[in-house]
Amino acid sequence: MSAEFEDVLLYAERPEWRDIVPVPQYQGVDALAPINYSPEYQDATDYFRGIIRTGETSERVLALTWDIIKMNPAHYSAWQYRYKTLVTLGEDLAAELHMMDDFAVANMKSYQVWHHRRLLLTALRSLDAARAELAFIARVLQADAKNYHTWSYRQWLLAHFNDDEAGWLWAGERSWVEDLLEKDVRNNSAWHHRFFVVWASGVRKGDEDREAVCRRELAFAKEKIALAPNNPSAWNYLRGVMEQTKTRLAELATFVQLYAVSGASAPPEVMDLDNPVPTEGAQLPSVNALEFLADIYEEEGGDKIPKAVEIWKSLANEHDPMRKKYWEYRIREALQTASA
Amino acid sequence: MPEVPPVSRTLNRRGHAKLAQLCLSGLPFSQVEVDPSRLAVVFYCLGTLDLLGVLDSQVPEAGRIHWREWIWEQQTHGKYGTGFRPSPYMAPEDYKSTHWPPWQLSDDHTEYDVPHLIMTYTALMSLAILRDDFVRLDRAGILRFVRSCQRDDGSFSALPIGGEADLRTTYCAFVICSLLDDWSGMDLDRAIAFIQRCSSYEGGYGQTPDGEALGGTTYCALASLKLAPPTPTSSWGSRVAPAERLRTVRWLSANQSSSGGFSGRTNKIADACYCFWCGASLSMLDAGEAVDTTALASFMHQCQFKFGGIAKAPGERADPYHTYLSLAALALFPPPDADESWQLPPLDPLWNATLDTARWAREHVPAQKRTS
């Protein structure tokens, strides 16, 4: 019998599994949404239930759980039992992690894939393993730059290793995000990650001067807005920085006004580094800029409210009629607040 | 924006009901990944039939009794309390479900077949849809189970022994406690603190702390904050302060794209399920009027699959999850001037159930019946 042929034998046909009593699945009343199992899946899971009964942890159990996981990556009990077996046997967890690499790429939308890696990284307690994992995640994101599970896992990993000793682990995050935004300036996951690294996870080494950090981040966002004035990710980041640093929106009025007018204005004679001008051919006015300008007026209140209302009307009727209902809602809210 | 109003178009009610019934009767092996979350699929199918108002007319009483029996069979009891498992996918053939009442037995499951928090929520909602009397519900056991899922950081894991812990599981725990009208199953202040740590600078909530703002988990966060009773330290008004509320409304509204549908994140394309998650969130924030209902229905119409069911986007394949959530979104935001095929019963946005089902749950799930 060739090795190739052995691979397709059912567990029930394998002599080395003869000592295990397979346990079929419970058949109760007529099932709701029953699944038409394949013979291979039914066989493997019968033996898995048999293993649960004996409590065995062994190499062959690793093979069995791997078989089931390949057929059904969402089978969380198989993942659970596999992890327990790995720990009990004192297996090389780094090897397990590596063995799962291709599987993770092929099944990146499966929650269990990433949960398993979390357990492994937690148990490994190694900064080197964490660094290798960051490189692996970057590779996965090349296949799908916005995969939510993968990004969450990266943020978890960094937050898990977030002390003085692990500073170097974080050192490359900001420039890596910049590379991603070079490729796609509308990648909101990358923008979010930048916010997490700079503002929401403590103060990184070299970032102690928060005013300088604020200037740097505003300049970064403005530069990206100049390239693509209608990119909500960059505008949201800008707003996030303003809120985080408790800065009034009006501080950005000069910049925002450049983007709230129709058509590009004549380039200034002296280059104003704080207020980069829109790239040539950009579609103006930017809806996001108009919205920002209206928010500046609303924040100032009083006799500025009618100016905000005027902008919202222009958004509703001319520049963003798709969200007419929302702009009308803003007008009602603002007038109600003003008259209250 | 597509300006054609959906007036001349119809909602394929019969097709959507057919998909739900087909899935309830069986799934092909290609769907094996839903085995460990089958009760959720059951909930989406039953919810679809409930919204379409065909449970009584198209499912014989005997069939509904069988369905309830199957769901009750998933209620299991052990050292962590009582809850529902996703399906018997890990239950051995000699599993005894006929003991009565089940919680007087010792553990009736192994460590690898424990109840699941999300499945417990979908089981309770499914039983309410099927108008069960809830006599068999082990209320004290359920609350013990919820408590055994709460972790030190205030979040809830899907299983008492681990598994995912994020705003989805938080939402399920909050619905369970509100259904039972008993909050002794959790440390509420810690649970609220966890939700608030998931708030993102964009205005939405991530799936976990540090996560990118996402439509589904924003719904979970807001519904939980609203379901929770006031505590000495917080109330709905303080949990979502006015400035925060405005920021969230802004982000949610920006997610309605030119297709008429909502996207779940900034700069992503629209997906039918986010029409519910974002739309219901807006409605909870008293900003439902910011939704363009005509454009929304137009998008839904395009997502209808020709053989029944609603897909996540035009041209994709339909599934129970997107079918149910699309109908739920339409129930919350009925298109104006549309023909009667679009008429759906009003929906409770917090429990995600028709008002009739919500009323039934309020009258039958809590230990002491309320008079309201």
Side-chain angles (χ1 to χ4, degrees):
Chain A
M1 201 182 286
S2 74
E4 227 176 14
F5 188 62
E6 266 176 8
D7 280 344
V8 296
L9 278 184
L10 295 176
Y11 283 86
E13 296 163 342
R14 298 185 199 181
E16 71 274 23
W17 283 83
R18 213 173 285 151
D19 58 315
I20 297 295
V21 181
V23 179
Q25 190 185 113
Y26 172 72
Q27 302 291 330
V29 295
D30 291 352
L32 265 173
I35 290 165
N36 186 17
Y37 300 123
S38 71
E40 294 78 17
Y41 185 78
Q42 194 164 328
D43 166 66
T45 52
D46 286 354
Y47 275 80
F48 181 50
R49 279 182 291 269
I51 286 292
I52 300 264
R53 200 153 270 186
T54 63
E56 175 179 323
T57 50
S58 64
E59 289 294 335
R60 71 175 180 180
V61 167
L62 290 178
L64 173 66
T65 51
W66 181 222
D67 258 0
I68 293 172
I69 286 165
K70 279 188 288 186
M71 287 186 275
N72 181 3
H75 197 301
Y76 60 80
S77 308
W79 283 103
Q80 234 176 298
Y81 204 89
R82 178 178 184 82
Y83 181 71
K84 175 191 154 179
T85 305
L86 287 166
V87 171
T88 309
L89 296 180
E91 291 282 314
D92 179 352
L93 300 183
E96 168 77 1
L97 198 62
H98 193 59
M99 196 269 281
M100 290 280 175
D101 281 357
D102 289 342
F103 190 74
V105 177
N107 295 281
M108 61 164 92
K109 294 202 167 152
S110 158
Y111 178 87
Q112 303 303 333
V113 164
W114 301 107
H115 189 65
H116 189 62
R117 297 187 86 93
R118 257 191 207 210
L119 293 177
L120 295 172
L121 260 295
T122 306
L124 278 168
R125 298 163 168 267
S126 150
L127 282 175
D128 287 327
R131 182 171 58 176
E133 197 63 356
L134 287 180
F136 170 71
I137 295 168
R139 196 150 63 76
V140 177
L141 288 171
Q142 280 174 3
D144 177 0
K146 297 181 178 180
N147 183 271
Y148 200 89
H149 290 305
T150 316
W151 277 105
S152 292
Y153 176 55
R154 189 178 191 93
Q155 282 132 14
W156 169 82
L157 184 70
L158 287 163
H160 187 74
F161 294 97
N162 192 9
D163 53 31
D164 292 344
E165 230 181 294
W168 57 271
L169 198 62
W170 290 69
E173 288 304 288
R174 201 154 46 83
S175 65
W176 174 67
V177 160
E178 278 167 31
D179 288 346
L180 286 175
L181 291 175
E182 283 289 316
K183 286 189 199 110
D184 176 11
V185 77
R186 291 180 174 78
N187 183 346
N188 197 60
S189 301
W191 281 102
H192 171 84
H193 193 66
R194 187 178 182 99
F195 197 91
F196 163 69
V197 170
V198 177
W199 302 105
S201 53
V203 176
R204 311 258 77 82
K205 198 161 173 257
D207 271 4
E208 291 85 357
D209 180 349
R210 299 314 274 172
E211 275 179 37
V213 168
C214 178
R215 280 196 301 277
R216 180 189 75 203
E217 294 306 303
L218 289 179
F220 179 78
K222 285 175 181 176
E223 183 207 318
K224 296 297 181 200
I225 288 171
L227 284 173
N230 293 291
N231 175 16
S233 296
W235 285 98
N236 284 356
Y237 188 83
L238 199 64
R239 283 170 178 271
V241 175
M242 302 302 274
E243 194 182 321
Q244 183 75 25
T245 57
K246 300 192 167 57
T247 313
R248 291 177 58 235
L249 297 180
E251 298 284 319
L252 291 181
T254 311
F255 171 74
V256 173
Q257 242 137 12
L258 292 170
Y259 295 80
V261 292
S262 303
S265 38
E269 284 172 21
V270 185
M271 182 91 135
D272 178 357
L273 288 175
D274 278 341
N275 299 298
V277 297
T279 185
E280 223 173 296
Q283 205 190 334
L284 295 175
S286 149
V287 166
N288 300 119
L290 285 169
E291 180 188 19
F292 203 107
L293 196 57
D295 286 345
I296 291 176
Y297 289 135
E298 193 188 30
E299 193 180 71
E300 290 181 12
D303 60 351
K304 295 289 173 62
I305 296 291
K307 287 191 145 190
V309 171
E310 203 179 305
I311 293 176
W312 289 324
K313 278 186 182 159
S314 80
L315 284 163
N317 299 318
E318 191 185 343
H319 304 298
D320 191 28
M322 203 198 81
R323 255 186 293 278
K324 192 178 173 66
K325 302 265 184 191
Y326 172 65
W327 301 122
E328 290 171 348
Y329 166 83
R330 287 297 300 272
I331 293 171
R332 277 195 302 277
E333 286 266 296
L335 294 180
Q336 258 173 29
T337 314
S339 67
Chain B
M1 182 173 62
E3 274 301 328
V4 193
V7 188
S8 59
R9 306 161 169 175
T10 52
L11 185 68
N12 180 9
R13 300 176 76 103
R14 204 202 292 206
H16 305 330
K18 203 174 79 184
L19 177 81
Q21 284 185 286
L22 199 66
C23 292
L24 287 172
S25 68
L27 297 167
F29 184 63
S30 61
Q31 299 288 308
V32 70
E33 283 201 57
V34 306
D35 213 6
S37 57
R38 237 161 85 195
L39 249 172
V41 177
V42 166
F43 166 63
Y44 299 132
C45 292
L46 293 176
T48 296
L49 298 175
D50 196 20
L51 276 168
L52 294 170
V54 297
L55 267 172
D56 286 345
S57 60
Q58 291 189 13
V59 186
E61 173 66 15
R64 275 175 281 150
I65 291 172
H66 257 115
W67 290 356
R68 293 203 294 260
E69 286 309 307
W70 184 82
I71 296 170
W72 281 116
E73 272 194 350
Q74 312 318 319
Q75 180 177 250
T76 62
H77 166 80
K79 63 180 170 191
Y80 307 108
T82 301
F84 291 73
R85 58 183 180 211
S87 68
Y89 86 117
M90 281 301 294
E93 64 175 344
D94 49 2
Y95 168 78
K96 293 281 180 284
S97 71
T98 47
H99 288 284
W100 179 259
W103 54 89
Q104 285 184 359
L105 293 171
S106 56
D107 288 13
D108 59 11
H109 57 70
T110 67
E111 282 290 282
Y112 298 91
D113 193 20
V114 293
H116 189 290
L117 193 56
I118 300 178
M119 298 306 128
T120 302
Y121 151 72
T122 55
L124 295 178
M125 296 315 294
S126 299
L127 288 165
I129 291 171
L130 293 170
R131 303 295 185 259
D132 192 89
D133 60 14
F134 288 96
V135 165
R136 282 182 267 184
L137 187 64
D138 176 15
R139 295 175 175 84
I142 298 267
L143 291 169
R144 197 149 66 81
F145 166 66
V146 172
R147 188 169 275 285
S148 68
C149 290
Q150 190 167 24
R151 309 191 310 174
D152 289 344
D153 67 357
S155 69
F156 295 83
S157 49
L159 308 169
I161 48 173
E164 61 250 63
D166 53 46
L167 284 180
R168 294 171 312 145
T169 44
T170 291
Y171 169 73
C172 293
F174 274 61
V175 175
I176 292 167
C177 291
S178 72
L179 279 168
L180 288 163
D181 196 20
D182 187 334
W183 292 82
S184 62
M186 70 167 75
D187 180 334
L188 186 54
D189 284 330
R190 266 196 303 151
I192 288 173
F194 174 79
I195 296 171
Q196 286 167 335
R197 281 204 300 283
C198 297
S199 170
S200 140
Y201 69 95
E202 286 197 275
Y205 292 74
Q207 191 159 312
T208 46
D210 307 326
E212 183 184 356
L214 181 64
T217 47
T218 299
Y219 168 86
C220 291
L222 294 172
S224 301
L225 294 175
K226 206 158 186 175
L227 282 169
T231 73
T233 53
S234 82
S235 63
W236 165 243
S238 72
R239 288 165 198 159
V240 181
E244 222 184 309
R245 174 182 164 275
L246 197 64
R247 189 179 71 164
T248 305
V249 169
R250 177 186 171 276
W251 176 78
L252 288 165
S253 303
N255 284 342
Q256 187 167 23
S257 74
S258 55
S259 64
F262 280 81
S263 61
R265 293 184 257 164
T266 303
N267 272 330
K268 293 268 286 180
I269 58 163
D271 174 325
C273 73
Y274 294 116
C275 296
F276 176 77
W277 301 129
C278 294
S281 297
L282 282 166
S283 136
M284 283 187 258
L285 294 170
D286 300 320
E289 60 205 277
V291 175
D292 186 333
T293 54
T294 304
L296 186 84
S298 164
F299 177 74
M300 289 301 175
H301 186 266
Q302 292 174 52
C303 290
Q304 293 192 108
F305 187 58
K306 58 182 168 183
F307 300 120
I310 301 175
K312 69 176 193 172
E316 302 263 356
R317 272 174 57 158
D319 60 76
Y321 169 80
H322 287 93
T323 303
Y324 172 70
L325 289 171
S326 300
L327 294 175
L330 287 168
L332 277 180
F333 299 103
D337 313 321
D339 75 34
E340 61 186 20
S341 71
W342 295 82
Q343 276 176 18
L344 297 166
L347 193 88
D348 179 329
L350 299 178
W351 279 353
N352 192 359
T354 62
L355 291 189
D356 281 347
T357 293
R359 191 177 308 120
W360 181 274
R362 231 182 325 273
E363 284 166 6
H364 294 85
V365 183
Q368 289 161 338
K369 286 184 189 175
R370 289 209 239 170
T371 46
S372 63

